[in-house]
Short mmCIF file of all heavy atoms in Angstrom, two decimals:
data_model
loop_
_atom_site.label_atom_id
_atom_site.label_comp_id
_atom_site.label_asym_id
_atom_site.label_seq_id
_atom_site.Cartn_x
_atom_site.Cartn_y
_atom_site.Cartn_z
N GLY A 121 0.88 19.76 -11.75
CA GLY A 121 1.37 19.73 -13.13
C GLY A 121 2.16 20.95 -13.56
O GLY A 121 2.26 21.24 -14.75
N THR A 122 2.74 21.67 -12.61
CA THR A 122 3.46 22.91 -12.94
C THR A 122 4.98 22.77 -12.86
O THR A 122 5.69 23.74 -13.07
CB THR A 122 3.01 24.06 -12.01
OG1 THR A 122 3.27 23.68 -10.66
CG2 THR A 122 1.53 24.36 -12.19
N VAL A 123 5.47 21.57 -12.53
CA VAL A 123 6.91 21.34 -12.37
C VAL A 123 7.33 20.19 -13.27
O VAL A 123 6.62 19.18 -13.38
CB VAL A 123 7.25 21.01 -10.90
CG1 VAL A 123 8.73 20.71 -10.73
CG2 VAL A 123 6.84 22.17 -9.99
N PHE A 124 8.50 20.35 -13.90
CA PHE A 124 8.98 19.33 -14.84
C PHE A 124 10.42 18.93 -14.51
O PHE A 124 11.16 19.71 -13.92
CB PHE A 124 8.87 19.85 -16.28
CG PHE A 124 7.45 20.24 -16.61
CD1 PHE A 124 7.03 21.55 -16.46
CD2 PHE A 124 6.54 19.28 -17.03
CE1 PHE A 124 5.71 21.91 -16.73
CE2 PHE A 124 5.22 19.63 -17.30
CZ PHE A 124 4.81 20.95 -17.16
N ALA A 125 10.81 17.74 -14.93
CA ALA A 125 12.14 17.21 -14.65
C ALA A 125 13.21 17.94 -15.45
O ALA A 125 12.97 18.35 -16.58
CB ALA A 125 12.18 15.72 -14.96
N PRO A 126 14.40 18.05 -14.88
CA PRO A 126 15.52 18.62 -15.63
C PRO A 126 16.04 17.60 -16.65
O PRO A 126 15.71 16.42 -16.58
CB PRO A 126 16.57 18.89 -14.54
CG PRO A 126 16.29 17.85 -13.51
CD PRO A 126 14.79 17.66 -13.52
N GLU A 127 16.86 18.06 -17.57
CA GLU A 127 17.42 17.17 -18.57
C GLU A 127 18.49 16.26 -18.01
O GLU A 127 18.69 15.15 -18.50
CB GLU A 127 18.01 17.99 -19.73
CG GLU A 127 16.95 18.72 -20.54
CD GLU A 127 17.55 19.50 -21.69
OE1 GLU A 127 18.72 19.25 -22.06
OE2 GLU A 127 16.85 20.38 -22.21
N MET A 128 19.23 16.73 -16.99
CA MET A 128 20.34 15.96 -16.43
C MET A 128 20.26 15.94 -14.91
O MET A 128 19.69 16.85 -14.32
CB MET A 128 21.67 16.59 -16.84
CG MET A 128 21.88 16.71 -18.33
SD MET A 128 23.39 17.63 -18.72
CE MET A 128 22.99 19.27 -18.12
N ARG A 129 20.88 14.92 -14.34
CA ARG A 129 20.95 14.84 -12.88
C ARG A 129 22.05 15.74 -12.32
O ARG A 129 21.91 16.29 -11.24
CB ARG A 129 21.21 13.40 -12.43
CG ARG A 129 20.01 12.47 -12.57
CD ARG A 129 20.40 11.08 -12.09
NE ARG A 129 19.34 10.11 -12.25
CZ ARG A 129 18.56 9.69 -11.26
NH1 ARG A 129 18.69 10.17 -10.06
NH2 ARG A 129 17.63 8.78 -11.49
N HIS A 130 23.18 15.83 -13.03
CA HIS A 130 24.29 16.60 -12.49
C HIS A 130 24.09 18.10 -12.73
O HIS A 130 23.34 18.51 -13.63
CB HIS A 130 25.63 16.12 -13.05
CG HIS A 130 25.77 16.30 -14.53
ND1 HIS A 130 26.07 17.51 -15.11
CD2 HIS A 130 25.65 15.42 -15.55
CE1 HIS A 130 26.13 17.37 -16.42
NE2 HIS A 130 25.87 16.11 -16.71
N SER A 131 24.73 18.89 -11.87
CA SER A 131 24.67 20.35 -11.94
C SER A 131 23.27 20.92 -11.79
O SER A 131 22.96 22.00 -12.28
CB SER A 131 25.31 20.85 -13.25
OG SER A 131 26.65 20.41 -13.33
N PHE A 132 22.41 20.19 -11.09
CA PHE A 132 21.08 20.68 -10.73
C PHE A 132 21.29 21.79 -9.68
O PHE A 132 22.20 21.70 -8.86
CB PHE A 132 20.27 19.53 -10.13
CG PHE A 132 18.87 19.89 -9.72
CD1 PHE A 132 17.85 19.91 -10.64
CD2 PHE A 132 18.58 20.19 -8.39
CE1 PHE A 132 16.55 20.22 -10.27
CE2 PHE A 132 17.29 20.50 -8.00
CZ PHE A 132 16.27 20.52 -8.95
N LYS A 133 20.49 22.82 -9.71
CA LYS A 133 20.60 23.91 -8.74
C LYS A 133 19.23 24.19 -8.14
O LYS A 133 18.33 24.63 -8.84
CB LYS A 133 21.12 25.18 -9.42
CG LYS A 133 22.47 25.03 -10.10
CD LYS A 133 23.60 25.12 -9.11
CE LYS A 133 24.95 25.12 -9.76
NZ LYS A 133 25.56 23.82 -9.91
N CYS A 134 19.09 23.92 -6.84
CA CYS A 134 17.80 24.13 -6.18
C CYS A 134 17.31 25.57 -6.30
O CYS A 134 16.14 25.81 -6.55
CB CYS A 134 17.89 23.74 -4.71
SG CYS A 134 17.88 21.96 -4.44
N ARG A 135 18.22 26.54 -6.14
CA ARG A 135 17.81 27.95 -6.22
C ARG A 135 17.24 28.28 -7.60
O ARG A 135 16.20 28.91 -7.72
CB ARG A 135 18.99 28.85 -5.90
CG ARG A 135 19.37 28.90 -4.44
CD ARG A 135 20.56 29.85 -4.23
NE ARG A 135 20.92 29.94 -2.84
CZ ARG A 135 21.89 29.22 -2.26
NH1 ARG A 135 22.57 28.34 -2.98
NH2 ARG A 135 22.16 29.37 -0.99
N SER A 136 17.94 27.87 -8.66
CA SER A 136 17.48 28.15 -10.03
C SER A 136 16.19 27.42 -10.34
O SER A 136 15.28 27.97 -10.97
CB SER A 136 18.54 27.71 -11.05
OG SER A 136 19.75 28.36 -10.80
#
Side-chain angles (χ1 to χ4, degrees):
T122 59
V123 177
F124 302 94
E127 292 180 17
M128 302 174 294
R129 287 180 183 258
H130 63 78
S131 301
F132 180 84
K133 302 279 186 269
C134 284
R135 286 180 179 96
S136 302

